[in-house]
Amino acid sequence: MRKVLTSHPDSDAASVESFQASHPLALSSEHPLTTSALVDVNDKSWNHLYGAMIDGLGISPKNFQLIYPFTTWDWPVVPVGYTGAAQWDFCSTVPQFSATGEYTSAGTAFNDAYGQMLNVVSAATSDPKLKADIEQARNMLQLAVNNYDTIYRQATDAYHSETGGSNTPPFTEWLGTFGGRSWRAQLESADKNVQAQQDVYNQLLSEVTTPGLKDAQDRLRNQDYYTKLQDPALASFPAVPGYSLGMDATTWLNKVKAGTGGSSGSIGFANSQSEYDYKKTWAGGSASINKFFWSVNVGGSWERIDEFASDSSLKVDVSFKAWDQISIQASRWYNGAFVTGIQSGPFIRGYSPYGDSSTKAVWGPSGIMSVQKVGMLVCYKPSFSITVSDSTFKSFSEKWSVSAGLRIGPFSFSGGGGSSSSGWKADSATKTFTGESTAETALIMGANINLINPQ
């Protein structure tokens, strides 16, 4: 949760879910999903795309998450020791526990979840005074965290209200803008108190006997494993736990254009086909999707394409000039071996490994730590071919002729049916719409995840 600051314990680790709860069916304020029938049809389209990606690209449902909304991979190359806000937000954010999940840049950070987990590990000692001091220090830390989290939730509400859930600008970058500056000041002040209380708590851990706990806490606080935010408006922000990419966007695109990077690929599905079984996925299911699958840009505004969603004759193919999987790795502040070793605890009173009627879960879908983002799926120059019924072709042709873009799930195609230079075409003989994105940036279309201590 402390997206631009370091992590602390036991707060509401469901900022993504709380946002979805407050925006249950909205694509945008202009085009909401207002009926259960629309929701069902929309979810089916996302389901078909998920299955098509599994089958067409040969990726595994055991670690693949299809993500939305549209997210570009155009993060700048920065000096060693620095990270751009958009990159840090994406790499650090804990994925939603769903086969197809929403990405929000104001979501819970993995380093925060890790810190929360460390602070509910029982600090074993036979000294009654030390035990009492540790409990008092933990209580003071929790009070500071509660105050921070109240401010954080207010800040994210303000962020979503201002940006409409578009992730533009990313949350961390927004904190450096006029609208976010006051929230940044409040968060920094609250965090200083949290850090002070964390220091008191960590000092007491030097005498406990829980194996590895003190070392794990020290590594999490070790500034050698941190990175500074590169964005000028965030220059005074404290350093944040680092995450590294297997390759930056500029290098990847250069390799693709030189013919030495990525692989070509294609996927396809039809509205008439059976649904993919989400039970086969790492999440065992998928939450309902609050972004509409089919939309077209007309006059600068994105609109639903109801004809496509309901046309039983529709068939779609999406091809990529290149696609790839790019690794994401937490720096050495994260001790994965300790996390594995502490799977069964011990944890402080009120917590248990997977939760029950009287305790909160540490692991699992509702736990403090659930999943870790360890990679992302990216693509370049997607193209599409959509074949529809005669009635759908006729009803959509007018919008197609003036369109400035098309969205198919997470894929956003710039160009337009009305632009001869874009090469987009409508073939009345085959009832097919075709086109290719004119964008020169890469797109993030999915994530690879790692389940933390599955039951």
Side-chain angles (χ1 to χ4, degrees):
M1 289 195 311
R2 280 145 293 275
K3 287 290 291 188
V4 292
L5 306 165
T6 52
S7 61
H8 317 295
D10 187 31
S11 50
D12 177 11
S15 56
V16 176
E17 288 79 2
S18 65
F19 170 66
Q20 292 170 328
S22 63
H23 302 71
L25 297 177
L27 169 65
S28 71
S29 59
E30 298 173 312
H31 306 290
L33 291 167
T34 53
T35 68
S36 58
L38 277 175
V39 173
D40 289 344
V41 170
N42 190 59
D43 285 349
K44 184 178 292 186
S45 295
W46 284 98
N47 172 284
H48 286 159
L49 178 61
Y50 187 96
M53 294 183 72
I54 295 297
D55 294 338
L57 303 181
I59 52 183
S60 173
K62 299 302 181 184
N63 69 353
F64 170 64
Q65 180 186 56
L66 175 61
I67 63 172
Y68 66 95
F70 169 72
T71 303
T72 55
W73 185 34
D74 56 356
W75 307 327
V77 178
V78 297
V80 174
Y82 288 81
T83 303
Q87 177 174 326
W88 193 82
D89 277 356
F90 185 86
C91 293
S92 67
T93 297
V94 176
Q96 183 184 5
F97 204 97
S98 175
T100 298
E102 180 173 20
Y103 164 63
T104 171
S105 64
T108 302
F110 180 72
N111 46 279
D112 292 333
Y114 176 57
Q116 292 165 27
M117 183 279 294
L118 292 181
N119 283 329
V120 301
V121 174
S122 179
T125 177
S126 58
D127 182 341
K129 183 180 183 306
L130 178 59
K131 183 177 181 180
D133 288 345
I134 288 173
E135 186 169 345
Q136 174 66 10
R138 186 183 284 117
N139 287 338
M140 293 299 294
L141 175 57
Q142 188 62 61
L143 287 172
V145 167
N146 291 347
N147 177 57
Y148 181 100
D149 291 343
T150 296
I151 298 170
Y152 183 86
R153 282 191 290 270
Q154 294 170 342
T156 56
D157 285 346
Y159 169 71
H160 289 309
S161 177
E162 184 173 317
T163 63
S166 65
N167 292 321
T168 306
F171 178 68
T172 299
E173 185 177 322
W174 176 80
L175 288 173
T177 68
F178 179 80
R181 216 166 289 157
S182 63
W183 293 111
R184 166 185 169 180
Q186 294 182 62
L187 289 170
E188 286 182 328
S189 177
D191 185 70
K192 286 179 180 178
N193 185 33
V194 174
Q195 297 294 347
Q197 300 301 333
Q198 185 79 55
D199 287 341
V200 172
Y201 177 74
N202 285 5
Q203 281 291 327
L204 296 170
L205 295 182
S206 60
E207 300 179 49
V208 303
T209 57
T210 303
L213 178 59
K214 181 65 165 59
D215 175 69
Q217 287 280 19
D218 288 345
R219 279 174 57 170
L220 177 57
R221 304 270 286 175
N222 190 335
Q223 295 286 306
D224 290 342
Y225 307 140
Y226 280 40
T227 182
K228 292 287 288 182
L229 294 171
Q230 184 265 347
D231 309 67
L234 309 177
S236 64
F237 272 35
V240 292
Y243 298 83
S244 62
L245 287 176
M247 190 181 303
D248 63 81
T250 299
T251 299
W252 186 76
L253 278 175
N254 285 340
K255 286 179 174 291
V256 166
K257 292 176 181 179
T260 59
S263 304
S264 61
S266 62
I267 57 177
F269 67 85
N271 278 353
S272 60
Q273 72 185 55
S274 59
E275 294 186 43
Y276 183 82
D277 184 2
Y278 278 135
K279 292 180 180 179
K280 298 177 181 178
T281 69
W282 59 272
S286 186
S288 186
I289 314 301
N290 64 12
K291 291 291 187 294
F292 212 77
F293 187 85
W294 296 103
S295 54
V296 61
N297 190 315
V298 177
S301 178
W302 288 97
E303 304 177 7
R304 290 197 319 258
I305 310 175
D306 293 329
E307 301 98 323
F308 285 4
S310 59
D311 187 351
S312 60
S313 299
L314 180 142
K315 296 180 180 179
V316 59
D317 289 288
V318 178
S319 299
F320 318 106
K321 281 194 173 179
W323 75 279
D324 212 342
Q325 302 185 63
I326 307 296
S327 65
I328 298 172
Q329 184 173 9
S331 186
R332 290 195 64 205
W333 54 262
Y334 177 60
N335 188 337
F338 179 80
V339 172
T340 302
I342 205 72
Q343 180 173 1
S344 300
F347 301 112
I348 63 174
R349 184 176 53 194
Y351 292 85
S352 63
Y354 302 98
D356 53 36
S357 59
S358 60
T359 60
K360 297 179 181 179
V362 176
W363 321 117
S366 60
I368 295 173
M369 292 186 76
S370 55
V371 293
Q372 175 187 10
K373 190 180 294 176
V374 294
M376 59 186 185
L377 277 74
V378 300
C379 68
Y380 173 67
K381 287 287 186 183
S383 59
F384 63 88
S385 173
I386 306 167
T387 302
V388 296
S389 65
D390 184 64
S391 59
T392 295
F393 188 87
K394 290 177 180 177
S395 65
F396 183 67
S397 289
E398 184 176 347
K399 287 184 179 179
W400 170 263
S401 67
V402 295
S403 67
L406 188 75
R407 284 180 179 167
I408 304 174
F411 305 112
S412 188
F413 299 89
S414 57
S419 171
S420 59
S421 62
S422 71
W424 290 30
K425 298 178 181 179
D427 188 332
S428 59
T430 61
K431 310 299 184 294
T432 300
F433 300 101
T434 57
E436 179 183 75
S437 176
T438 58
E440 290 299 327
T441 54
L443 164 70
I444 301 172
M445 55 183 176
N448 288 328
I449 66 94
N450 175 49
L451 283 171
I452 304 296
N453 288 337
Q455 192 169 11

